[in-house]
Amino acid sequence: MTSSVEKGDKLEDDFYRYLLDQKDKRELVYGLNHPELCEIFKKKSYPCSDRGEDVEFDVVIELRGEGRVEPHMYIVFECKNYKSSVPELYVRDFSDKLSTVFGHSAKGILVSSSRLQSGAEKIARKRKMGIAKYDKHGIEIVADRKGRSWTDKSYLKSQIFKDARHTKSLKFSAYHDGKYFSSFSQLLSFLDSDQEVDGDHVIANSGISVPYLSDEAIKASTKAVLERCEHVGGAVDLAKICERLSIDLSLTERNIRDETGSPILGSANFDRKTIEINFHENERQKRFTIGHELGHFCLDHGRFLRSESIIANDLLLDKVSDDSFRYERLEFQANKFAAELLLPESEFKTKTEELRRHIDIRDRGHGYIYVDDQPTNLRDYLLLLSGLEAYFEVSKSAIEIRFKKLGMLADRRTNPESTRISSYLTSNGCDA
């Protein structure tokens, strides 16, 4: 059984490596003239006159202005790796320890792997403390840093403090002095306000918003990809597409979950051009996950994201509202791309018509594909789904969603068990 100390050390190691990686990419210290003026330490001790001994801190960044020998600021991190929400008393305890060592020359940030109790916000605000939530499996958002700040604040607040809503985890999110930050560079630039902000990095992306893409634009993108891999029909060769696009695809059986318990189905890294797919209960769904991640690459979402991970709820996103967080628009576009890639409209309609004739499904004035609770209609409908599943190698649920999106299905089922395709098929010995 892993102890709380071991869990804390694990979070420290992960976060420390994250900061080093940011520094190596020259992304960590946007608020300084040179990245070399920043040093990062783990488990470093500093003298404390009140205690008469040195005090050790988990992770410390020492910032030096150009030409200075001594740091002009310390950013000190205390890491708490808790499965449940972190109590507010840890914010207070960390603040007390920080003030006895550094006085006013340090900015303290409590780093947690989970959300904090809502009362922690009051303590942090009163004591000018910072709070950051770090999830090594999460995503890092670049888009819309300053646009629609009320949307960003709402989303980021739900990331850091305990909230009833289910939201996708960011890799890094922080709160300090009443402001919320979605990247470490934003936070550091705000903390180190004496330095000039590098406009090439911070300001250039601040006005970026995720553009609207029409159905036709996404179809054109998938068509180009299918032509590039010389697709002629049937199940799309996703490995071949990755090879042609120079994307490294790896399949694992890792069963990873985020802090809410949602399975993390896969991830993409846009700098390294990699896609990693984790364990899926449904092998057919795995192909849709790969198609989703390919959508991010082919729709040029690397302009907005350094990396991203996908959870099961992302695959259900089929519409976005005007006040949705901008990241949701990227997920929506990736889903549309995956559906069009794996089930190309023209080929999908042609194969559906072929199977309709074979099964003898007819339009008797109720709709092109009609299903209700009658056993005969249900049986024919499931045969149609099974035939398309075998041909395209995607899940029956994905096919049903495609039917609805293309206006091909008249669904008059009222029995909850028959409308929930996955549970209905499982109870009847079929693979959804």
Side-chain angles (χ1 to χ4, degrees), residues 76-237:
V76 186
F77 301 92
E78 177 95 349
C79 299
K80 296 294 180 184
N81 195 351
Y82 273 60
K83 190 172 183 179
S84 58
S85 56
V86 179
E88 61 188 67
L89 66 89
Y90 285 111
V91 182
R92 186 182 296 108
D93 291 344
F94 178 42
S95 172
D96 292 341
K97 186 169 70 170
L98 200 67
S99 62
T100 61
V101 175
F102 295 103
H104 298 290
S105 63
K107 300 289 186 180
I109 310 290
L110 182 72
V111 180
S112 171
S113 58
S114 62
R115 292 173 173 84
L116 279 79
Q117 293 178 0
S118 57
E121 181 180 4
K122 296 178 182 178
I123 301 297
R125 184 185 297 273
K126 183 177 179 180
R127 300 201 176 194
K128 301 292 184 180
M129 293 290 298
I131 295 172
K133 188 175 77 67
Y134 173 73
D135 178 359
K136 69 174 182 176
H137 299 305
I139 59 173
E140 188 170 349
I141 292 181
V142 177
D144 241 8
R145 286 183 177 176
K146 296 182 180 178
R148 302 291 293 276
S149 59
W150 62 272
T151 302
D152 277 6
K153 179 179 177 180
S154 174
Y155 189 87
L156 288 167
K157 186 173 182 178
S158 71
Q159 291 286 305
I160 301 166
F161 300 109
K162 193 173 181 179
D163 194 290
R165 295 169 294 170
H166 178 83
T167 57
K168 184 168 178 174
S169 180
L170 297 175
K171 177 178 286 187
F172 180 90
S173 46
Y175 167 89
H176 190 277
D177 199 18
K179 295 179 174 58
Y180 293 84
F181 307 88
S182 61
S183 72
F184 188 78
S185 59
Q186 288 179 319
L187 173 63
L188 189 60
S189 295
F190 175 76
L191 294 177
D192 194 27
S193 56
D194 293 335
Q195 302 292 326
E196 293 183 4
V197 176
D198 182 347
D200 288 338
H201 292 94
V202 175
I203 299 173
N205 286 325
S206 63
I208 293 177
S209 61
V210 177
Y212 167 78
L213 289 179
S214 67
D215 290 350
E216 292 305 316
I218 293 177
K219 285 181 185 178
S221 180
T222 57
K223 182 180 179 181
V225 171
L226 292 172
E227 289 176 351
R228 186 168 181 177
C229 75
E230 301 168 336
H231 175 72
V232 293
V236 174
D237 190 339

Side-chain angles (χ1 to χ4, degrees), residues 302-317:
R303 289 181 295 161
F304 313 107
L305 303 171
R306 293 188 181 93
S307 61
E308 87 100 34
S309 61
I310 180 172
I311 60 175
N313 282 351
D314 293 334
L315 300 181
L316 303 177
L317 187 62

